Amino acid sequence: MRNPIMSHLRGAVRDEITHAFEVTGHARPRDIARLVCATRTADILTLGTRLAEDALTEIARRELKKSTQDRDPVSQLELPGVPVALISQLPQAISIPVEDADGDTDDGIIYKPLTQVTLADVDAHLDLLSAQIVADTRRHRAVKELRDLAWAAGATSDSVILVSLSGAQQRIGEVV
């Protein structure tokens, strides 16, 4: 679903472009942006708030993902029965996929302190990690294959891969 504020601002940009073409015969992107900002202040304030919220969400996500290794030894998790060597490898909190009651997913992830997770939470976290590992493995294989194709096409370490591959494709077409 599209963000209604962005759709409204996109329409305002299009209107200003049309107006600039009619009045001056040309448009400058910065001038268009300034006009939209000046005339649609409420939308711009909302957008600014959303951008700040997104940036702070990312900071919070990074902080939540930090492992206990990054923390002061005094603040290490106290998990009775868990070896200290294992505790040093565990995150402070784990990510758990969730769905809101009305079926909407905001970010679809909550973080729970390791000291409060259930076995079901750990299983959900492991499923999430497995999906990420599968996606990372797929990307790794694809990028490695791209690199191997480039090497086979004669690329060097300084070559732009896609240029090397397109040049090899063109040479193959000339030979055939």
Side-chain angles (χ1 to χ4, degrees), residues 19-32:
H19 183 259
F21 284 168
E22 290 171 357
V23 172
T24 63
H26 66 276
R28 288 191 174 124
R30 178 68 62 188
D31 292 343
I32 298 298

Side-chain angles (χ1 to χ4, degrees), residues 6 44-58:
M6 286 304 294
I44 297 302
L45 288 173
T46 301
L47 178 64
T49 299
R50 178 57 193 240
L51 291 172
E53 183 182 302
D54 289 348
L56 291 170
T57 298
E58 189 55 36

